[in-house]
Each structure stands twice: as structure tokens, then as C-alpha cells.
């Protein structure tokens, strides 16, 4: 579709305090475009959890967002260690995050389950030692 | 209940002032941000003992109007700045988490979800 609005953000893996900047920016853009607040929240939360994952596990990466009238597509791509067992990673409560992440309020094993819950489609492409691509789609109402 | 009521009930102190007249319908008390993100509720207040910028970002993603820091915890300048740009009210209360939640609950605020 040619009428998509494309956004791109690099996610720094060095600064945990900045994780969420891209999600916040996308949220703002969607608000400006007039999408309904429920859909915006679903995009923002799913993307935010994914962004946090990227910083915790993969030393950052990049996010590509395509905004269509009826849906928002997000690709989060990293060159991290990959996910050895995707099925396990999808279970609520399963986490491989280091302890220091827990003191920051994350690492409870809710990231991927939350992302799945808030998106209409979620696809993971992951290769050990190469990285992970996470594709998300959220269906939205016409603005 | 409005943000101002939360401030009064918790005998709190404003650290960053957003819209004090904004209506609050539900509340969530947690130090785990992923648990907060798991339950979308509209017009909520977040009570937490966690003090880092991700608390503000979580509130931002959830469209929360107000964050209450329990046990007298004071957020640093970077957190306050972030909340300012997002229009989120920050309140500090000397009450501990359990008491702060209990006070809001007995004053009519609910968790917003059936068990």
C-alpha cells in the first residue's frame, strides 16, 4: 500500500533509562493522526515491551513502523543472541533477564505474553547468534 | 475521584503538577512494570515504590494521569522532567504501599477488574 506512513527509530542498547522513547514517539504520532485511544495504547504497550526486551537481551536494534488507515505494522529487529526456545519464552513468568533488570521493574516473564495479548498478529523470526525479528500487527479503526 | 482527591486522601506532596482535576477511575499498585502493562485500564493512577524513568514511560503508554510514590520515595530530576513533558502528575506519600492502596480503596477507588 502506498499511503502508509513510515517511521524508523534506532534503539540504543546502552541506556536502559531511554528505552521507550521510540514507543512514546510512535504513540504521539498516532494520536496526531487521530487513531482511537484504545488502538494507540495497544500499539504503544506492545512496542514498549518489545523495546525493553531489545535493550535487556540484545543490546538494542532498530524499529520500523508502517502506519496504514486500518492497521499499524511494527518490525523490531536486533542482532542479539536469538531466542533458543520461543514456546518457552511465550510462557507467562518465564524469563532469562538478569537480576538487575528486575530491580528496574521488568524481567517478570511478561514481555512476550503481553505483546501477544495486545497485538492482532505477532510473528517471531529468530536465529541463535544472529538475532531476532519481531513482526507485530495491530488492527486499528479508520481515523 | 479526581487527582486532587488522591493527593488529599494520601496526605501527599506534589512533585510534578499535571491536571489535578482529571478524573481517576481505577488504580494499580505494583513495582513490576510488566504487571502494570498487563492490565489496560482507562484513567488510572499508578502507586509504586519503584523510582526510575521507566515508571513514567509505563504510565505514558497506559495513558495514566498520575503516579504516586509510596513510602516517601523521591524521584530524581530526570524522572520529574520526563513526567513534566508528558503532563503526568507525580505525588509523594509517606504511607506504605498497602496502606496507600487501602486508603484509596476505602474511599471508593477500585482496581477496575473483577478478580
Amino acid at each position: 500500500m502506498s499511503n502508509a506512513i513510515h517511521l524508523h527509530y534506532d534503539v540504543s542498547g546502552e541506556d536502559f533509562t531511554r528505552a521507550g522513547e521510540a514507543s512514546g514517539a510512535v504513540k504521539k504520532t498516532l494520536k496526531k493522526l487521530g487513531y482511537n485511544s484504545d488502538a494507540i495504547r495497544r500499539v504503544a504497550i506492545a512496542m514498549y515491551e518489545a523495546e525493553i526486551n531489545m535493550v535487556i537481551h540484545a543490546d538494542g536494534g532498530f524499529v520500523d513502523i508502517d502506519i496504514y488507515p486500518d492497521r499499524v505494522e511494527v518490525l523490531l529487529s536486533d542482532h542479539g543472541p536469538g531466542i533458543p526456545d520461543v514456546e518457552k519464552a511465550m510462557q507467562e513468568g518465564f524469563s532469562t533477564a538478569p537480576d538487575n533488570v528486575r530491580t528496574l521493574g521488568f524481567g517478570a516473564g511478561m514481555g512476550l505474553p503481553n505483546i501477544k495479548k495486545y497485538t492482532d498478529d505477532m510473528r517471531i523470526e529468530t536465529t541463535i547468534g544472529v538475532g531476532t525479528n519481531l513482526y507485530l500487527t495491530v488492527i486499528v479503526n479508520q481515523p | 475521584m479526581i487527582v486532587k482527591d488522591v493527593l488529599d486522601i494520601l496526605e501527599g506532596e506534589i512533585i510534578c503538577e499535571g491536571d489535578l482535576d482529571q478524573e481517576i477511575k481505577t488504580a494499580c499498585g505494583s513495582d513490576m512494570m510488566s504487571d502494570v502493562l498487563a492490565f489496560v485500564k482507562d484513567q488510572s493512577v499508578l502507586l509504586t515504590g519503584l523510582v526510575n524513568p521507566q515508571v513514567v514511560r509505563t504510565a505514558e503508554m497506559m495513558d495514566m494521569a498520575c503516579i504516586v510514590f509510596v513510602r516517601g520515595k523521591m524521584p530524581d530530576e530526570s524522572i520529574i522532567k520526563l513526567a513534566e513533558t508528558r503532563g503526568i502528575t507525580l505525588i509523594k506519600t509517606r504511607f506504605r504501599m498497602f496502606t496507600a492502596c487501602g486508603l484509596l480503596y476505602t474511599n471508593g477507588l477500585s482496581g477496575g477488574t473483577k478478580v
Side-chain angles (χ1 to χ4, degrees):
Chain A
M1 229 195 259
S2 58
N3 58 345
I5 294 168
H6 183 77
L7 304 171
H8 174 92
Y9 297 94
D10 289 315
V11 176
S12 162
E14 283 162 19
D15 190 356
F16 183 80
T17 63
R18 286 181 57 199
E21 267 182 12
S23 310
V26 168
K27 187 167 198 247
K28 224 179 193 175
T29 303
L30 290 173
K31 225 177 224 175
K32 248 185 234 161
L33 290 169
Y35 287 92
N36 79 65
S37 58
D38 175 66
I40 294 174
R41 210 154 44 213
R42 289 196 294 129
V43 172
I45 295 170
M47 200 181 139
Y48 178 50
E49 285 277 20
E51 216 183 312
I52 294 277
N53 274 351
M54 218 178 216
V55 175
I56 293 174
H57 297 287
D59 200 24
F62 68 83
V63 193
D64 275 321
I65 302 105
D66 286 299
I67 303 169
Y68 298 94
D70 63 336
R71 70 191 188 281
V72 178
E73 293 182 357
V74 184
L75 160 65
L76 297 110
S77 182
D78 68 58
H79 294 294
I83 306 169
D85 188 338
V86 173
E87 209 177 304
K88 220 171 183 184
M90 287 302 303
Q91 290 172 10
E92 282 191 13
F94 178 82
S95 175
T96 58
D99 279 344
N100 67 324
V101 168
R102 269 172 215 119
T103 65
L104 296 166
F106 290 90
M110 291 297 289
L112 285 174
N114 270 357
I115 293 168
K116 185 160 179 63
K117 181 174 161 185
Y118 290 120
T119 53
D120 294 291
D121 189 55
M122 167 184 170
R123 199 155 48 84
I124 300 175
E125 282 173 6
T126 186
T127 309
I128 300 300
V130 177
T132 299
N133 285 338
L134 177 64
Y135 297 89
L136 310 175
T137 305
V138 173
I139 307 290
V140 297
N141 290 346
Q142 297 268 0
Chain B
M1 191 179 290
I2 59 172
V3 174
K4 176 82 172 57
D5 297 326
V6 174
L7 179 71
D8 292 342
I9 291 163
L10 297 180
E11 297 168 28
E13 182 190 315
I14 290 188
I15 300 163
C16 173
E17 188 170 333
D19 179 7
L20 297 185
D21 292 321
Q22 186 158 341
E23 201 185 346
I24 298 288
K25 290 181 173 166
T26 61
C28 178
S30 181
D31 291 348
M32 287 307 301
M33 293 304 108
S34 277
D35 281 346
V36 178
L37 290 164
F39 301 100
V40 179
K41 283 160 267 149
D42 214 7
Q43 293 171 287
S44 278
V45 54
L46 170 62
L47 294 98
T48 188
L50 189 69
V51 186
N52 71 44
Q54 296 310 330
V55 175
V56 178
R57 298 221 191 261
T58 298
E60 178 192 6
M61 302 310 158
M62 304 285 288
D63 294 316
M64 285 169 152
C66 175
I67 301 168
V68 176
F69 295 101
V70 296
R71 237 180 323 126
K73 292 194 176 179
M74 184 67 187
D76 68 20
E77 203 51 42
S78 68
I79 300 173
I80 297 169
K81 278 224 173 83
L82 199 59
E84 258 170 21
T85 59
R86 269 61 178 178
I88 296 170
T89 299
L90 302 182
I91 293 171
K92 172 174 102 161
T93 176
R94 63 188 160 78
F95 292 115
R96 285 189 266 175
M97 176 71 101
F98 182 80
T99 311
C101 291
L103 283 168
L104 292 181
Y105 193 89
T106 49
N107 276 279
L109 205 58
S110 85
T113 47
K114 290 180 183 135
V115 179

